[in-house]
Amino acid sequence: MENIISNLFKMIGLPTEVAYILAFFAAAGLLFFVLSLVGQVAVVFMVLMERKILAWITQRKGPNRVGPWGLLQTVADGVKLLFKEDIMMPHQDKLLFTLAPVLFFAPTFVIYALIPFTDQLLGINLGLGLLFVFALSSLGVVGMVLAGWGSNNKYSLLGGMRSASQAISYEIPLVLSALAVALAAGSLNIREIVETQNAGGFGLFSWYAISLLPLTFVIFWISSIAEVNRIPFDLPEAESELVSGYNTEYSGMKFALFFLAEYASLFGMSALMAVLFFGGYYSPFGGLITQNLGIDIPVVHQLEMATWIITKTYIFIALAMLIRGTLPRLKPDQLMGFSWKFLIPLSLVNLFMVAILKMAWLQENIPTIPLFGREISVCYLGTYAALFLLLIATLAGFGSIFKRKVVPHIQLQQRTV
Amino acid sequence: MTDNKVLSGIVEIGRGMATVGKHLFRPPVTLEYPEVMPELSKRFHGRLCLLTKSSGEDLCIGCQACARVCPCGDLIQIEMHRDDKKQPVIDRFTIDIGRCIFCGNCTEVCPVDCIKMLNDFELADYSREALVLDKSGLSLSGEESDKYRKEHGLEPHVE
Amino acid sequence: MSSENEIDKPQEQQSETVTPEPKAEEQQPIEPKEVKEPVSAEAGEAPEEAVAEKPAKPARKAVTPKASAEEGAAAEPSADGEAKPKAKPAAAAAKAAPAKKEEVPPPPPEPGRYAQLLMANGFKPVPLGNDAGGIEMIELNPSELREACQFLRDSDASRFDLLVSIAGVDWKTSLQAVYHLYSTATYQKLAIKATAVDDKLPSVESVWITADWHERETYDLFGIIFEGHHKLERILMPADWIGHPMRKDYKVEDPRLVWNER
Amino acid sequence: MSTTANFPTTSQGVFLEKDIDTNDMVVNIGPQHPSTHGVLRLITTLDGELVKEIEPVIGYLHRSKEKMAESRSLFQYQPTIDRVEYLSSFFDHYAFVAALEKIADLHVPKRVQYIRMITMELNRITSHLLWFGTYLLDLGATSPMFYAFREREKILSLFEDLTGARMMYNYYRFGGVVADMPEGWLDKVRAFLDEAPKRFDEYEAIVSKNPIFLDRTMGIGIIQPEVAIQYGVTGPTLRASGVNLDQRKANPYCCYDEVEFDVPLGTKGDCYDRFVVRMQEMRESLKIIRQAVDNMPGGDTADLNKRRESGDETANDVELQTYGKKINLITYKPPKGEAMVTVESPRGFLGCYMITDGTPKAYRIKWRGASFSNLSILPELMRGRLFPDLMSIFGSIDVILPEVDR
């Protein structure tokens, strides 16, 4: 990339320094444009997708009036929100009330810059990319708390406080399970994590969702749903209790910012899951299909990569929507208890087991047996089997802690009067 | 293992999601209303109307029975006089549909089966005054009345 | 509305559809409000201690339970608590009098199962026969209402542990509360009537907790003051409402809310 | 999943000992709130997420149904009582009509009673279905509501065929019903009876063993039977506490003594028991309807009409008659009398206390709403519970506000 640009500028006759500066601004502008476009389009599409999926699982048709198949419904809603009156009450803290949506909105969109959609289409390739992602995603909570406080509304306050406590609880298992990934990959660079997964060469089986303990992924998944405040963890905006939680008082464009940011963070988290656990932009068969077929056109490769990661991301989004349609909401004490008593110990155990697994991988001169057409280390398989048994035992142990009789004793009685 | 709460919980959540997911492949049960009208039953309590004789003359005899059983007060207003042959002539018959609760009491007490309910339920209008229907707005024509009587199994009108 | 009344109605209907206005007076032989006949006129024939002692100062005159009980029929169980007997013979209710005289005063009803039970335990219930649904009715003196209720709830022979409802009734001369009891052990029903003295009745909140809201409702709508209730406030009407809407003499102030009689 | 071990679990309410003294927060829940199912205001004193005190304020939906009876003739008043409890208005009508029938000693034909029984039980299912959907919605699950409404709509279509209305039926008359069943109606009911159990199974597959649902309902809002009776709680809420009180069995009205069914009883009296009891009751209702449909006196309408047309004398034994056509409804004057009729509505004892004085109007009509008493236990249950438990508990006692305020 850089060479192309510098060569281009050399041809024109500009000094290389100027070329770099211009290239930087051009790239930044292009990136911003692409990101915001991708983000907005993704969010707009996701809102529609959510409404459609929720409609289909309840045997309805969903939005179908605005545009073909209701495609423009969200646009219409957005336009409505744009032109809606922005109500602000005199008792509200104006600064915090205005700042909150921005603080909530901005970080969630910045995460897009760190997601490698292809190996080239990547906003910033940070060495500590994973860390930066979690730093950003926890920043959004500040926006929620500010919204809860600045609204001067009791429901909002409860919602904001709930979001704070929820974020504190669920970021720990989230980060701990991501840490296991970083440990296995040996890097915090997100692109490197993707490449490491592909370097295993087993395709699907070298993805961290499978090659690393699947438990890691499950913990990450649950925590990420809690992180983006979706059912069953949508306590900050539990509409049956807190009306609308932290955004009760918001209307118009400020509300739209909250609304967009929620979906954007869902997209970000789903993309992160695809990247960390599902091989990112690589196909499930190892490498790229077009590459394996011998088509050697870079653009085609880039397109295929983008297709894979977008597909994986949307599968997780669809799953989150299906969960939303099925599950009831947890209570705050259950939410906390689930995190502190169950997920955090489990993720610590998991981290420990992944460390053992990593050590097993690092062993050399170990006999191998052929499996799936590859030579797989016996040590690896043995560790894996042992850890799986350990996991079952751990789950059973947790189960006995929370054991309670599930089947109620309802008796049917025939009355005799 | 069966009473393990964690494992059974995972299984049950999976079962629930599968049941919900199954509905993805079922056809929708909702109607696209303005294009597809719902099928209403014959007894549907819709807009009130006045049946007429086959010739198109008023069937109503102005007995005020419907007005008197109406739970909404002075919703039905009837003014009538008798002509020289002592036959009732309806001067004014108005129904304020905007206040009607569609209970069907009036249709039940009508001695001549004149006031009836149609399947028409789209009654919205831009002003309250427009919802006060007078005799011309309420009355069906002679053919429509005959059709209504035939469809609903009423005795055909005989002079 | 007024235009409606001028319409000449068809002949065939005129006979049976009398306009309700005059009918109401004719059929409700209830003594007009302004009758100033004191209670003592009645006390002679039905000397009920607690009631007769009090001269009728407040809005409602105290009325003896006996009076209604005697004319309330056993054979015609429905006629129990009707306002009619309060038609004081001499002074008022001239219209109602001729209709009433033709009726033979039926004998007082036999005490039912629970009336006997109460009598055997030192209470003085007035049996009122059964209502149309076969539920035994008892009139109790307010002074012993709470104790009798407590007894009915706790006694093994009755076990009326469920208070179904408290219905206030305005008999124009007096306010009455009707307690419908139910036994979750024997599935029997019982109706207790108590006539308010000076608009006051003892609260049975200590017997059934559910009486709390029911008494508040009856107070709200009828103005019966339940003495001993911990928080006798309005429950259905707004807190600043004036008057008790279910009383027969309640006047609706807002002309838009007045029901146009047809 | 966690339990609520950290928080007091008795319904009597034991507070946590606090180290830090914080101010209580008073939250006005309602009158407009997504989960108050109408216009109910709950003045809630919160300590964090802990409910210290809750006080229901009712009356926002007071439409003075009892006062309306004073100005309307009985027949004129009848359509308005649909609105007393609009989710199961057949029960309102039955209480009203039965009270009058008792006072006037009207004979009610058996076929009419069977039609009433079918409609009431179908109505019980619609009411429980709506409760099921909204309860799950309160707990956060969205799709069960749509499934419940799907089946409810089917029953409402049946009602539309029968009565002409989907919610405000105005179908029962003194001594009869407005009209006999239309042709083929019973077949539609049978089709529904065949389909419904499968759907109910689906509902249970979605929620009834879901760990989150169990955590939110089991052991929450336990009502002791004695406390329930003291508070006048009736219906499924009481039966979930183990009190065997179903008026259909205890004091059979209509023709309930001719059908066989069971009364589901709970053991613990928590929210989950109430859920299971209601779900079971729907199945029991199906059982009743099936028996009533099969044993319908006089058979289907088509047969009845055919037999009548052919001059069959036995067709008259059925004596389906609608008093609405026989007695003059406009000026119908019931004799003097009084009657209290309580029916087992989907929420408990729905009572109509009627005093007539020989005029076309009733002298006094008192409505006893089951929800009115059931709601009064809420402060007792909520004391010392978590704020989100309010939705579990309030939803599970199935209060409908028009019945509270009447």
Side-chain angles (χ1 to χ4, degrees), chain A residues 69-290:
Chain A
W69 306 290
L71 278 174
L72 298 176
Q73 179 68 48
T74 322
V75 179
D77 287 348
V79 170
K80 181 203 77 174
L81 282 174
L82 264 175
F83 287 107
K84 222 172 157 181
E85 187 191 352
D86 190 8
I87 300 166
M88 202 186 284
M89 291 288 165
H91 60 265
Q92 284 160 348
D93 189 325
K94 290 203 169 40
L95 178 67
L96 298 187
F97 190 74
T98 319
L99 197 63
V102 181
L103 268 181
F104 188 52
F105 181 81
T108 49
F109 269 88
V110 175
I111 290 180
Y112 280 42
L114 291 146
I115 306 290
F117 288 99
T118 69
D119 58 352
Q120 299 298 322
L121 186 60
L122 169 62
I124 325 153
N125 190 13
L126 279 183
L128 292 174
L130 197 55
L131 197 64
F132 192 51
V133 167
F134 290 119
L136 284 173
S137 73
S138 47
L139 208 59
V141 179
V142 179
M144 280 202 222
V145 176
L146 284 190
W149 182 260
S151 296
N152 202 355
N153 175 321
K154 286 164 184 169
Y155 293 124
S156 302
L157 182 64
L158 275 172
M161 292 302 143
R162 278 181 178 189
S163 77
S165 58
Q166 184 174 330
I168 289 168
S169 306
Y170 277 87
E171 255 158 33
I172 298 169
L174 188 78
V175 174
L176 279 178
S177 53
L179 196 60
V181 172
L183 186 67
S187 170
L188 281 172
N189 184 322
I190 294 178
R191 196 163 71 179
E192 217 159 285
I193 292 171
V194 176
E195 297 293 344
T196 325
Q197 287 183 67
N198 190 46
F202 297 99
L204 184 71
F205 296 100
S206 60
W207 288 357
Y208 283 148
I210 294 167
S211 74
L212 217 55
L213 286 177
L215 182 62
T216 321
F217 163 65
V218 172
I219 294 170
F220 190 90
W221 190 26
I222 293 173
S223 311
S224 73
I225 291 175
E227 183 74 18
V228 299
N229 301 321
R230 286 186 65 86
I231 282 178
F233 303 102
D234 66 335
L235 293 170
E237 48 185 314
E239 84 272 356
S240 65
E241 298 149 24
L242 302 182
V243 188
S244 194
Y246 61 90
N247 59 26
T248 305
E249 292 280 318
Y250 282 91
S251 68
M253 203 52 214
K254 290 201 189 91
F255 171 75
L257 284 184
F258 274 116
F259 191 72
L260 288 175
E262 270 178 24
Y263 281 93
S265 63
L266 173 66
F267 186 89
M269 273 296 163
S270 303
L272 202 61
M273 261 190 284
V275 165
L276 293 185
F277 293 97
F278 285 86
Y281 41 75
Y282 284 111
S283 79
F285 314 106
L288 294 170
I289 293 177
T290 46

Side-chain angles (χ1 to χ4, degrees), chain C residues 133-211:
Chain C
I135 302 172
E136 188 184 337
M137 297 189 292
I138 298 172
E139 172 112 28
L140 279 172
N141 195 319
S143 60
E144 60 179 27
L145 176 67
R146 191 188 324 223
E147 289 73 25
C149 285
Q150 184 87 39
F151 171 77
L152 283 170
R153 192 195 76 181
D154 292 336
S155 163
D156 283 334
S158 49
R159 282 240 165 268
F160 285 110
D161 46 4
L162 182 68
L163 175 67
V164 175
S165 75
I166 299 177
V169 186
D170 183 0
W171 290 116
K172 301 208 179 179
T173 52
S174 66
L175 291 171
Q176 194 179 43
V178 186
Y179 300 75
H180 285 276
L181 311 184
Y182 190 86
S183 166
T184 58
T186 59
Y187 310 122
Q188 295 298 312
K189 296 174 184 174
L190 179 67
I192 293 177
K193 297 189 174 183
T195 307
V197 183
D198 296 355
D199 291 1
K200 281 180 188 146
L201 276 177
S203 168
V204 292
E205 202 194 0
S206 58
V207 187
W208 300 284
I209 302 176
T210 181

Side-chain angles (χ1 to χ4, degrees), chain D residues 194-251:
Chain D
D194 293 336
E195 191 202 351
K198 288 180 222 156
R199 300 285 168 242
F200 294 169
D201 288 344
E202 273 182 9
Y203 303 157
E204 303 223 354
I206 296 170
V207 291
S208 67
K209 280 181 184 165
N210 186 307
I212 300 175
F213 179 74
L214 293 185
D215 264 351
R216 289 211 59 179
T217 52
M218 278 189 122
I220 308 285
I222 295 173
I223 310 180
Q224 301 299 335
E226 306 80 32
V227 178
I229 293 170
Q230 268 288 307
Y231 273 96
V233 172
T234 45
T237 314
L238 180 64
R239 289 194 284 277
S241 298
V243 180
N244 193 350
L245 173 58
D246 189 331
Q247 282 207 85
R248 293 174 291 170
K249 286 272 189 196
N251 317 90

Side-chain angles (χ1 to χ4, degrees), chain A residues 220-371:
Chain A
F220 190 90
W221 190 26
I222 293 173
S223 311
S224 73
I225 291 175
E227 183 74 18
V228 299
N229 301 321
R230 286 186 65 86
I231 282 178
F233 303 102
D234 66 335
L235 293 170
E237 48 185 314
E239 84 272 356
S240 65
E241 298 149 24
L242 302 182
V243 188
S244 194
Y246 61 90
N247 59 26
T248 305
E249 292 280 318
Y250 282 91
S251 68
M253 203 52 214
K254 290 201 189 91
F255 171 75
L257 284 184
F258 274 116
F259 191 72
L260 288 175
E262 270 178 24
Y263 281 93
S265 63
L266 173 66
F267 186 89
M269 273 296 163
S270 303
L272 202 61
M273 261 190 284
V275 165
L276 293 185
F277 293 97
F278 285 86
Y281 41 75
Y282 284 111
S283 79
F285 314 106
L288 294 170
I289 293 177
T290 46
Q291 208 166 29
N292 297 345
L293 289 175
I295 304 167
D296 205 14
I297 308 164
V299 179
V300 176
H301 291 171
Q302 298 288 316
L303 278 176
E304 196 197 340
M305 285 173 179
T307 314
W308 280 120
I309 191 167
I310 295 286
T311 313
K312 288 166 185 172
T313 307
Y314 273 101
I315 285 172
F316 286 114
I317 292 170
L319 269 176
M321 285 161 186
L322 195 60
I323 288 173
R324 178 182 167 179
T326 316
L327 292 185
R329 183 182 301 118
L330 283 163
K331 281 197 302 189
D333 63 326
Q334 292 167 350
L335 182 99
M336 300 298 152
F338 183 61
S339 172
W340 290 99
K341 291 188 200 159
F342 188 80
L343 274 187
I344 290 177
L346 199 64
S347 53
L348 282 170
V349 171
N350 178 58
L351 187 61
F352 177 64
M353 295 197 291
V354 168
I356 297 174
L357 200 67
K358 174 80 177 173
M359 284 179 71
W361 283 352
L362 290 175
Q363 298 294 319
E364 288 171 8
N365 306 324
I366 300 287
T368 56
I369 51 166
L371 200 68

